[in-house]
Amino acid sequence: MSIINVIFICIIIILALLNIRMKLRQPSDKHQFMLPERLGLHVSNNDIMQFIKGSGDEIKSFMEHRGIDFKMKYEPESMMGWLDTELLDRILILLLSDMAKRLERGGKITIAAYTNQRYDSINLRISDNGSKISDNSLLIIQYMVAFHRGTLRNEYFDRQGNTLFIEIPIKKDAYETEQLESSTLSAFHIPSNIELRVPTIELPSGYEEGNTSLREIMQAPHSADQEFLRRAIQCINDHISDTDYDRQTFASDMGSSVSTLYNKIRALTGKNISNFTRDIRIKAACKLAKEHPDLRVSDIAYQVGFRDPKYFATSFKRVTGEQPKEYFAKLRGEG
């Protein structure tokens, strides 16, 4: 069974869990969903175009390996805005995975990312020349997009392919105050009924039953997955202050291709390479702050591989739910 086929088995499982756990309700308009606000959004201010580019770069090697012509276009190349990057990452991965499954070698996928004239929303036009996207995938994608206050429109023409139009608001005032960088992310989680080697999509925050954390995996009896994670974490820690340590070098150090590394890390942790690396660097920052109380936040940011202290602060709050200054004060027993 191929990895892509296994992904879709996971998708079916997740769909069933979403229907049971979230009690999805459909109003009269079949293209809209009533969404349970209790799950919460966790939006933060980011360079959205660069985030989308990074997500695309991580899956590009996988597309090339399958012989798919994968192209991305951005207008403008940089655009700051408020977005739940974790949720957007899941939308892109699920959609691109479904499209890739339905394409033969020589197929094409194109992503165009642009803003509207008011610069208050991000628009994505994602198209391919493959067979129709599965209803299950569309259902989940529709759910996630609508949950982010966005809209989704999809078109399919026989022998021409799929085109999806996604629009998501990016202005701060589009979201409630409690949704703005207000949540502490949980530890890495994967469903316990899916083997660790299978690429999975992380379940929404709040679903804890039957999940296994990264710490539990690392403390389990020795396995190939445990060893892989140990080596991956060690690679990041060995280059913790290197701001130029990118995914290509990381993959080379692990003795794998970028696509293989990407698939393995996502399967074991539910994270992409960027967020996996980010979380390890944030953990190192906390350790450094506790061991060296005299270090400033900016000094710590540079020492754990962040070029920009402001971006470090945004990333830190995304992971811990607090600004680094306040969090470090607690670690040092100052507050």
Side-chain angles (χ1 to χ4, degrees):
M1 184 180 294
S2 69
I3 290 178
I4 294 299
N5 287 333
V6 173
I7 289 176
F8 278 87
I9 292 175
C10 298
I11 290 172
I12 293 172
I13 295 172
I14 291 169
L15 178 61
L17 290 171
L18 286 173
N19 282 324
I20 295 171
R21 298 292 300 178
M22 302 176 190
K23 298 181 180 178
L24 181 62
R25 294 181 290 132
Q26 298 185 14
S28 56
D29 183 350
K30 67 180 180 179
H31 295 294
Q32 297 295 328
F33 296 96
M34 298 297 290
L35 302 169
E37 291 298 323
R38 62 186 174 81
L39 291 178
L41 282 173
H42 313 302
V43 299
S44 58
N45 195 20
N46 299 275
D47 190 324
I48 297 172
M49 291 300 187
Q50 288 302 307
F51 174 81
I52 295 172
K53 181 178 185 300
S55 295
D57 287 344
E58 289 192 349
I59 203 170
K60 187 174 184 179
S61 296
F62 169 75
M63 295 293 187
E64 292 175 347
H65 178 72
R66 290 183 58 85
I68 295 172
D69 181 9
F70 180 65
K71 295 180 179 178
M72 299 190 72
K73 302 176 182 178
Y74 317 93
E75 182 61 40
E77 291 189 358
S78 178
M79 180 70 188
M80 296 299 294
W82 291 82
L83 199 73
D84 188 325
T85 54
E86 300 281 348
L87 185 57
L88 179 59
D89 182 61
R90 282 155 179 73
I91 292 170
L92 291 173
I93 292 301
L94 176 56
L95 178 56
L96 294 175
S97 296
D98 194 306
M99 285 182 163
K101 177 181 183 294
R102 299 168 193 286
L103 287 173
E104 299 179 355
R105 296 188 71 85
K108 297 180 180 180
I109 296 178
T110 301
I111 299 179
Y114 52 96
T115 59
N116 63 358
Q117 294 181 344
R118 298 185 301 276
Y119 298 99
D120 60 3
S121 71
I122 186 73
N123 296 270
L124 296 171
R125 182 180 184 273
I126 307 170
S127 59
D128 67 9
N129 60 349
S131 59
K132 188 176 181 180
I133 296 173
S134 72
D135 290 338
N136 283 344
S137 291
L138 281 175
L139 180 66
I140 299 174
I141 293 168
Q142 172 77 67
Y143 184 94
M144 291 190 291
V145 169
F147 191 50
H148 208 309
R149 308 289 194 271
T151 60
L152 168 69
R153 178 167 59 90
N154 64 287
E155 299 174 350
Y156 173 73
F157 297 98
D158 192 27
R159 293 187 294 275
Q160 294 184 36
N162 302 275
T163 300
L164 283 85
F165 300 90
I166 297 173
E167 183 174 10
I168 296 176
I170 59 173
K171 287 296 185 182
K172 187 176 182 179
D173 58 12
Y175 303 100
E176 303 297 332
T177 302
E178 60 269 20
Q179 295 170 339
L180 304 177
E181 298 182 327
S182 60
S183 175
T184 301
L185 296 185
S186 60
F188 298 127
H189 288 95
I190 57 175
S192 61
N193 60 338
I194 299 176
E195 295 182 32
L196 294 181
R197 65 175 179 273
V198 177
T200 65
I201 299 172
E202 190 180 18
L203 293 175
S205 176
Y207 182 81
E208 298 295 332
E209 294 84 354
N211 286 1
T212 303
S213 70
L214 179 61
R215 177 176 297 178
E216 290 171 327
I217 294 172
M218 295 300 291
Q219 292 175 346
H222 179 80
S223 67
D225 291 328
Q226 179 188 3
E227 177 61 20
F228 179 89
L229 278 177
R230 187 198 65 77
R231 288 176 52 228
I233 293 170
Q234 188 62 50
C235 279
I236 301 301
N237 283 323
D238 287 346
H239 300 84
I240 200 69
S241 62
D242 185 358
T243 57
D244 295 320
Y245 192 66
D246 56 18
R247 60 179 65 89
Q248 286 79 16
T249 308
F250 185 15
S252 178
D253 288 347
M254 291 293 291
S256 69
S257 66
V258 173
S259 61
T260 298
L261 180 65
Y262 174 86
N263 289 334
K264 189 73 172 178
I265 286 179
R266 179 167 283 280
L268 294 176
T269 70
K271 304 287 182 179
N272 61 27
I273 295 176
S274 297
N275 288 346
F276 177 75
T277 303
R278 175 204 64 188
D279 290 355
I280 294 172
R281 293 186 186 279
I282 295 300
K283 183 177 180 180
C286 293
K287 184 173 183 291
L288 195 61
K290 190 172 184 179
E291 294 176 348
H292 302 279
D294 295 333
L295 285 177
R296 298 176 301 177
V297 170
S298 58
D299 294 330
I300 293 174
Y302 297 135
Q303 291 192 38
V304 296
F306 285 84
R307 286 192 177 92
D308 182 2
K310 291 184 178 179
Y311 180 65
F312 168 73
T314 297
S315 299
F316 191 95
K317 187 170 183 180
R318 176 69 179 173
V319 173
T320 68
E322 296 185 63
Q323 290 291 343
K325 184 176 181 180
E326 287 75 17
Y327 193 91
F328 293 164
K330 291 180 182 178
L331 280 179
R332 296 161 175 167
E334 299 170 3

